[in-house]
Amino acid sequence: MTERKSPRFAARTSKEEIETGLSFQPKFDADGLIPAIVTEAGSDTVLMFAWMNEEALALTIETRLAHFWSRSRRALWKKGAESGNLLKVVEMRTDCDQDVVWLRAEVLGEGHACHTGRHSCFYRSVPLGTFPAGALPLAKAEDL
Amino acid sequence: MTERKSPRFAARTSKEEIETGLSFQPKFDADGLIPAIVTEAGSDTVLMFAWMNEEALALTIETRLAHFWSRSRRALWKKGAESGNLLKVVEMRTDCDQDVVWLRAEVLGEGHACHTGRHSCFYRSVPLGTFPAGALPLAKAEDL
């Protein structure tokens, strides 16, 4: 991927406009990326978390299929292009600062949003209430 | 906040151990931060997104009240400490790569997770299906 010559999204304006206005002015970080939260349409269970560059965000909006930027592979990544587990985006939202997007999506194919073959990437929980000195154990979340 | 001299979490080991093991080995980025998704306990509506450093993550686990790292103020931030809109964490999960945490939380006080006074930060949606050349309009999400 070569870097885009011209931005495809509106420039950031004032804090007030960004927080209360109805113009999409997404903030990309120093690496040109914006975080994306994906939840399951209907239940809102969190399925995965990934990053988008301008191109990935524009393609997701246009095609309704989730695209991301793979930071490890440094490449545009159409989620499920190989596995068939595409993410069909039902709704997209942005937050007050417009520096995050939230996708409500249906997982197509076999229904695996996680590359490990699980429905959701969040299949382990962190125990709460104490912070022991040694390593903190995780627990398997049985509902996912 | 001075930087911590010694890490409080287990060191990262192998990809296999991180993905399938039951030892919490959270990954902090180059700035020492890990992203945190907060959803509402019960409905799983996404309420907000923020960042934690080691101290914030450890305090959240220990106290069950969400703590973050404010990147703009460069300070530890106990969510709701001033407003009363504390986030009581019911469950914490991590993802396959252990580089994100997801908190299921109850919003105390007046129930505002967003600093704008709204219940959720995600009160605007991004239209899908076309990508016009000009600025992209947002729509108010009426359910939040």
Side-chain angles (χ1 to χ4, degrees):
Chain A
M1 288 278 308
T2 53
E3 205 152 328
R4 295 195 64 78
K5 292 292 183 296
S6 59
R8 299 182 61 158
F9 293 93
R12 303 271 286 179
T13 55
S14 68
K15 180 177 160 70
E16 188 184 346
E17 175 63 27
I18 288 165
E19 288 188 353
T20 64
L22 293 176
S23 162
F24 190 35
Q25 301 177 3
K27 182 177 182 180
F28 297 91
D29 67 12
D31 296 320
L33 303 176
I34 187 168
I37 301 162
V38 183
T39 68
E40 180 163 52
S43 73
D44 278 345
T45 295
V46 181
L47 296 176
M48 59 176 289
F49 174 84
W51 295 83
M52 294 179 172
N53 64 356
E54 275 202 33
E55 184 73 5
L57 181 56
L59 283 168
T60 302
I61 291 169
E62 197 166 10
T63 67
R64 298 176 194 257
L65 292 174
H67 292 67
F68 302 104
W69 175 258
S70 167
R71 295 183 299 172
S72 53
R73 290 184 287 111
R74 301 195 59 77
L76 186 72
W77 164 38
K78 181 178 175 181
K79 175 81 178 110
E82 290 179 21
S83 68
N85 294 296
L86 297 158
L87 290 176
K88 185 181 169 191
V89 183
V90 173
E91 188 181 9
M92 181 187 288
R93 295 198 180 191
T94 192
D95 73 336
C96 47
D97 302 327
Q98 298 201 35
D99 59 0
V100 185
V101 291
W102 165 23
L103 316 181
R104 280 175 159 151
E106 294 167 9
V107 193
L108 304 184
E110 297 174 294
H112 304 162
C114 184
H115 78 285
T116 66
R118 294 174 177 86
H119 182 53
S120 161
C121 295
F122 293 84
Y123 47 86
R124 289 167 299 181
S125 60
V126 182
L128 300 171
T130 57
F131 193 78
L136 215 58
L138 296 172
K140 286 185 188 171
E142 301 298 342
D143 60 334
L144 292 177
Chain B
M1 287 278 308
T2 53
E3 203 153 327
R4 296 195 63 80
K5 292 291 183 294
S6 58
R8 297 182 61 159
F9 293 94
R12 303 271 286 179
T13 55
S14 68
K15 180 176 161 67
E16 189 185 343
E17 175 62 27
I18 288 166
E19 288 188 353
T20 64
L22 292 176
S23 162
F24 190 36
Q25 302 176 3
K27 182 179 181 179
F28 297 90
D29 68 13
D31 296 320
L33 303 176
I34 188 168
I37 302 162
V38 183
T39 68
E40 180 164 51
S43 73
D44 278 345
T45 295
V46 181
L47 296 175
M48 61 175 288
F49 173 84
W51 297 83
M52 293 180 173
N53 64 357
E54 274 201 34
E55 184 73 5
L57 181 55
L59 282 168
T60 302
I61 290 168
E62 194 166 12
T63 66
R64 297 177 195 255
L65 292 173
H67 291 69
F68 303 104
W69 174 258
S70 168
R71 295 183 301 170
S72 54
R73 289 184 287 110
R74 300 195 59 76
L76 186 73
W77 165 37
K78 180 179 175 180
K79 176 79 178 109
E82 289 179 22
S83 68
N85 294 294
L86 296 158
L87 291 176
K88 184 182 168 190
V89 183
V90 172
E91 188 181 8
M92 181 187 287
R93 294 198 182 192
T94 192
D95 74 336
C96 47
D97 302 326
Q98 299 203 35
D99 59 0
V100 186
V101 291
W102 165 22
L103 316 181
R104 281 175 158 151
E106 295 167 8
V107 193
L108 304 185
E110 297 173 295
H112 305 160
C114 184
H115 78 284
T116 66
R118 294 174 177 87
H119 182 53
S120 161
C121 295
F122 294 85
Y123 48 86
R124 289 168 299 180
S125 60
V126 182
L128 300 171
T130 58
F131 193 79
L136 215 60
L138 296 172
K140 284 185 189 173
E142 300 299 342
D143 60 333
L144 291 178

